[in-house]
């Protein structure tokens, strides 16, 4: 309990004002938050543009940038958090960091290495239901793989919400779902 050190990774839209708003919400709850800009100052207006930019930069380069951003703070025991694309990056880093305190995922997950192993890492996922990028079959498989890897996983689904439903700048925004997700997420962090 108390102040957590949180590494928050942005979505495919880039480091937008809504990501900073999310960070401010966490800071207002008493936490230290970093929001690395994996796109080098660029932002986009659509998911399609985000996918193009992600592909232009390359997944390996994005991961390298994320590792370099987190490395100076990882000794502290970070809570890794990500939004959509950033969730997949946060998951990869958390599963590779034996000092990780927790993993908080909004709107996304990632593949797991067969050899992934953690010691009861607390993991919480908030996802739209249905979500075109996180299908029911995929989430069932992901949950089982995370449990097999040793994670303590909770999944919260939000019926009728859009993919990135916590982002007030996007058409996906669902105020009620966003507030419920944030309430649960802040309690999760508080209990770490």
């Amino acid at each position: 309990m108390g102040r957590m050190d949180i590494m928050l990774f942005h979505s495919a839209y880039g480091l937008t004002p809504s990501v900073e708003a999310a960070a401010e919400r966490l800071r207002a709850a008493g936490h230290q938050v970093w929001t690395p800009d994996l796109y080098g100052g660029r932002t986009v207006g659509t998911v399609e543009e985000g996918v193009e930019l992600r592909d232009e930069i390359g997944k390996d380069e994005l991961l390298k940038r994320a590792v370099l951003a987190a490395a100076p703070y990882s000794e502290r025991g970070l809570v890794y958090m990500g939004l959509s694309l950033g969730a997949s990056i946060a998951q990869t880093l958390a599963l590779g960091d034996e000092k990780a305190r927790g993993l908080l995922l909004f709107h996304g997950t990632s593949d797991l290495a067969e050899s992934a192993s953690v010691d009861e890492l607390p993991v919480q996922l908030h996802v739209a239901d249905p979500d075109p990028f996180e299908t029911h079959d995929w989430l069932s498989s992901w949950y089982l793989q995370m449990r097999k890897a040793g994670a303590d996983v909770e999944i919260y689904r939000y019926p009728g919400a859009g993919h990135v439903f916590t982002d007030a700048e996007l058409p996906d925004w669902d105020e009620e779902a966003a507030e419920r997700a944030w309430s649960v997420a802040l309690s999760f962090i508080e209990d770490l």
Side-chain angles (χ1 to χ4, degrees):
M1 275 175 63
R3 189 191 87 149
M4 289 288 128
D5 293 309
I6 302 170
M7 188 64 55
L8 171 59
F9 295 105
H10 61 72
S11 74
Y13 292 91
L15 189 58
T16 61
S18 65
V19 177
E20 290 298 346
E24 284 307 314
R25 187 183 284 242
L26 294 162
R27 290 180 186 117
H31 307 295
Q32 174 76 44
V33 184
W34 294 274
T35 55
D37 185 351
L38 304 181
Y39 283 179
R42 296 163 71 183
T43 60
V44 298
T46 68
V47 164
E48 294 78 18
E49 291 171 341
V51 169
E52 286 178 22
L53 184 52
R54 177 202 70 196
D55 292 346
E56 175 189 321
I57 295 169
K59 290 180 182 178
D60 289 345
E61 178 62 23
L62 288 173
L63 197 54
K64 177 181 166 190
R65 293 176 184 184
V67 168
L68 290 172
Y73 311 104
S74 63
E75 284 297 312
R76 300 175 183 217
L78 291 171
V79 174
Y80 290 92
M81 180 178 177
L83 308 169
S84 193
L85 168 67
S88 68
I89 292 168
Q91 177 184 309
T92 300
L93 266 62
L95 293 178
D97 182 354
E98 62 187 29
K99 291 186 182 283
R101 298 283 302 272
L103 174 59
L104 180 56
L105 306 172
F106 275 63
H107 324 299
T109 61
S110 182
D111 294 328
L112 277 76
E114 191 65 37
S115 61
S117 177
V118 293
D119 186 15
E120 289 298 310
L121 178 70
V123 177
Q124 192 174 87
L125 169 63
H126 297 270
V127 64
D129 185 15
D131 187 308
F133 302 102
E134 304 289 328
T135 66
H136 286 202
D137 287 348
W138 165 254
L139 287 175
S140 295
S141 173
W142 175 84
Y143 175 84
L144 292 172
Q145 290 175 49
M146 288 293 280
R147 292 294 298 151
K148 181 180 171 194
D152 181 11
V153 184
E154 299 175 331
I155 299 177
Y156 291 86
R157 298 175 197 243
Y158 299 84
H163 174 61
V164 187
F165 64 85
T166 59
D167 190 330
E169 299 175 344
L170 299 176
D172 286 350
W173 188 55
D174 182 318
E175 185 176 12
E176 182 182 334
E179 287 307 314
R180 278 189 293 133
W182 273 109
S183 177
V184 172
L186 289 169
S187 293
F188 169 76
I189 294 169
E190 191 65 32
D191 290 341
L192 294 175

